[in-house]
Amino acid sequence: MQRHKARAAVLSAIFMGLGQIYNRQFIKGLIFIAVEAAALFYFITNLGRAFWGITTLGESPSRLEKVKGIAKMVPGDHSIVIMIESLITLLFLVLFLIVWYMNIRDAHKIGAERETGRPSNTFKQSVRYILDYKFAQSFLLLPGIGILFFTIMPIIFMIMLAFTNYAAPDHIPPARLVDWVGFETFRNLLVLKSWSHTFYGVLTWTIIWAVLSTVTTYFGGMLVALLINQKGVRFKGMWRMILIIPYAVPQMISLLLMRNLFNGQFGPINQYLGYFGLGGLPWLTDPFWAKVTVIIVNMWVGIPVSMLLIMGVLTTIPRDMYEAAEVDGATNYQKFRIVTLPMILFSTAPTLIMQFAGNINNFNAIYLLTAGNPVNGNYQYAGSTDLLVTWLYKLTLDQNKNNMASAIGIILFIIVAGFSLYNYRRTKSFQEEDMIQ
C-alpha cells in the first residue's frame, strides 16, 4: 500500500505511461506511451546521426568523378545542413527528456495521492483541472516551443558557427567541409592585426555613435518638450504636430530622403550653401563629415520620440512640488534641477538605456544613409561609418566570412546585454519602483 508512488515512478521511468496505467489513469497512460513510441521511432532513426554530425560536421565533401568518361558530381556531406539537422534532433531530445521527467513526476504524485486514500483523477477530471488551474501554462507551451525553435535555436546555431572555420574561400560546403576550430576565430578577431585593427576601429566608432546619438536625441527631445511646455508658448498643439512629423514619416523614407539631400554632387543642401557663397561639404564622402551627417540625421528622426516621451512625463509631475519650491524661493533653473530633471530621469532611465542599446545595433540609420561608406582602406570589408552590426552584415552576405560574423555577433550581444543588465539594476526606477504610485 505504501509503495504506489515508488512503483509508479519506476514504471514511468522504464517506459512512459506505465506508471499512469499502474495508477489506473489509462487514457493518460496511453497518451504517454504513444509519445514515447513516436520518440523512439524518431530517435532510433536520427539520434546516432545527430551525434555523429555534431561531432564531425561531415566526412566526405561533394566531388567530381568520372563515370564512363563523363564527369559527374557526386553529392557529399553538407556541414551546415548536418549541423542544423543535428541541432534540431538534440533539441527534440531535450524536449523529450523534459516530458519524460514530467511523466515520472506525475506518476509519483498520483501514486502518493493513492497512498493517502485519494482516488486517481479520471481523464475528464484531469482535463478539467488543466482548464481551471493550468490554462495559462498550457497555452504558453505553444509560443514557448516556437521561441525555442525560431529564436533560441538560431542563436545556438550562430554561437556554434563562431567555433568553426565556416568562411570563404576554403570552407564553403558542399565542395569544402567545415571543421571545429575552437576559439581560433575569436583569437584572430581580437589579436590578428589584419582583423583586430578593423574590429577595434569599428568598435570605437560604434560606442562613440551610441553615446552621441543617445545623448543628442534624448536631451534634444527634452529641450523641445520643455520649450513647448512653457506657459507663454501659444499654439502648443500646432508645435507638437509640426515637431512630430519626422516621427510620423516611416524612418526608411526619411533616411533615404536625407541621403539625397546630403548628396555632395546634386544634393539641395550643398546647392543652398552655394547660393550664400559657401562651398559645398563632402557630407557622405569624407569620413569625418559622414559621421557628423549620420548623427545629425539621427537627431532628426530621434528627437520627436524623446520629445513625446518626456512630454508625457511632464504631465505626471505633481504641481504641488513646484508650488513648494516656489514657496522656498526657488528660481526656474532650481525648479528644473531639483524637481523636473530628477522626475524625468526617474521615469525615463530604462528607456534611455534601451535607446543606447538600440543605437549600438542601429542598422537602419547607418546602412540606409551611408551603407557604411566612405570606404576605409585600412579596414577589412568595413567602411568609415560602419557599426559592428553593419560590418557583421557585410561579412555574412557579401564576403561569406560567417564564422567571423558570428564571433562579432556574440561579442556584440555580450556588450549590449552586459551594459543593459548592469545599468538597469543601478537605476532608481528599479531600486525604488514603488516611488510613484
Side-chain angles (χ1 to χ4, degrees), residues 54-264:
I54 208 73
T55 306
T56 65
L57 297 180
E59 295 175 343
S60 174
S62 298
R63 60 196 180 280
L64 287 173
E65 285 187 0
K66 282 191 174 180
V67 179
K68 296 180 181 179
I70 301 174
K72 289 189 174 181
M73 176 63 72
V74 177
D77 298 326
H78 193 298
S79 300
I80 302 306
V81 173
I82 289 175
M83 183 189 290
I84 294 173
E85 290 176 346
S86 303
L87 185 56
I88 291 173
T89 302
L90 293 177
L91 285 178
F92 273 125
L93 178 62
V94 171
L95 285 178
F96 171 73
L97 291 176
I98 292 173
V99 174
W100 180 71
Y101 169 75
M102 292 172 63
N103 139 78
I104 296 174
R105 199 176 69 166
D106 174 74
H108 184 273
K109 179 184 174 186
I110 301 300
E113 290 178 357
R114 288 182 65 194
E115 290 175 4
T116 62
R118 292 180 57 188
S120 304
N121 286 341
T122 64
F123 183 71
K124 187 176 180 181
Q125 289 172 325
S126 298
V127 172
R128 173 53 55 189
Y129 174 79
I130 291 173
L131 293 176
D132 290 343
Y133 301 103
K134 301 291 182 182
F135 180 82
Q137 294 93 323
S138 302
F139 276 80
L140 283 174
L141 278 177
L142 188 60
I145 293 172
I147 290 172
L148 176 66
F149 282 96
F150 296 110
T151 301
I152 296 177
M153 193 189 81
I155 292 174
I156 297 173
F157 176 66
M158 181 199 73
I159 294 172
M160 292 169 69
L161 283 184
F163 294 92
T164 69
N165 55 6
Y166 181 31
D170 297 328
H171 296 282
I172 296 295
R176 304 289 180 85
L177 293 177
V178 174
D179 300 310
W180 295 109
V181 296
F183 287 92
E184 184 181 334
T185 305
F186 291 92
R187 186 182 63 80
N188 291 340
L189 181 65
L190 300 175
V191 178
L192 194 65
K193 190 175 180 180
S194 58
W195 283 104
S196 63
H197 178 69
T198 308
F199 173 72
Y200 291 120
V202 175
L203 175 63
T204 302
W205 161 238
T206 300
I207 294 172
I208 292 172
W209 151 264
V211 171
L212 289 180
S213 57
T214 304
V215 169
T216 52
T217 55
Y218 182 79
F219 287 100
M222 182 188 296
L223 176 63
V224 174
L226 290 172
L227 290 174
I228 294 177
N229 211 44
Q230 292 297 306
K231 288 182 180 177
V233 176
R234 301 178 62 186
F235 310 116
K236 292 184 178 181
M238 182 194 71
W239 287 113
R240 290 193 195 100
M241 185 185 69
I242 292 174
L243 292 169
I244 204 65
I245 287 176
Y247 178 64
V249 177
Q251 190 186 59
M252 183 186 73
I253 295 175
S254 294
L255 293 172
L256 293 176
L257 177 65
M258 288 292 177
R259 188 171 69 179
N260 289 325
L261 290 176
F262 282 98
N263 186 287

Side-chain angles (χ1 to χ4, degrees), residues 365-421:
I366 297 299
Y367 199 78
L368 294 177
L369 198 60
T370 67
N373 293 319
V375 174
N376 190 326
N378 297 321
Y379 283 176
Q380 285 270 61
Y381 313 117
S384 296
T385 57
D386 263 321
L387 305 179
L388 284 176
V389 67
T390 56
W391 185 35
L392 180 157
Y393 174 84
K394 291 178 177 177
L395 287 175
T396 305
L397 295 189
D398 298 342
Q399 306 299 330
N400 265 335
K401 304 291 184 185
N402 302 287
N403 58 339
M404 199 61 75
S406 299
I408 294 170
I410 293 172
I411 293 173
L412 199 54
F413 172 78
I414 292 172
I415 292 173
V416 174
F419 171 84
S420 301
L421 287 175

Side-chain angles (χ1 to χ4, degrees), residues 273-292:
L273 291 176
Y275 294 149
F276 293 101
L278 302 173
L281 291 173
W283 297 106
L284 300 176
T285 53
D286 177 79
F288 172 78
W289 283 107
K291 291 175 180 177
V292 172

Side-chain angles (χ1 to χ4, degrees), residues 319-382:
R319 295 302 307 169
D320 54 0
M321 296 180 72
Y322 289 109
E323 292 169 1
E326 289 170 358
V327 169
D328 292 338
T331 63
N332 287 335
Y333 171 73
Q334 288 171 326
K335 285 190 286 186
F336 169 76
R337 187 173 60 84
I338 297 170
V339 179
T340 308
L341 185 59
M343 293 297 289
I344 291 174
L345 290 176
F346 178 85
S347 300
T348 60
T351 307
L352 188 60
I353 294 169
M354 287 179 61
Q355 283 184 353
F356 182 83
N359 280 321
I360 288 179
N361 288 320
N362 198 338
F363 179 88
N364 286 348
I366 297 299
Y367 199 78
L368 294 177
L369 198 60
T370 67
N373 293 319
V375 174
N376 190 326
N378 297 321
Y379 283 176
Q380 285 270 61
Y381 313 117

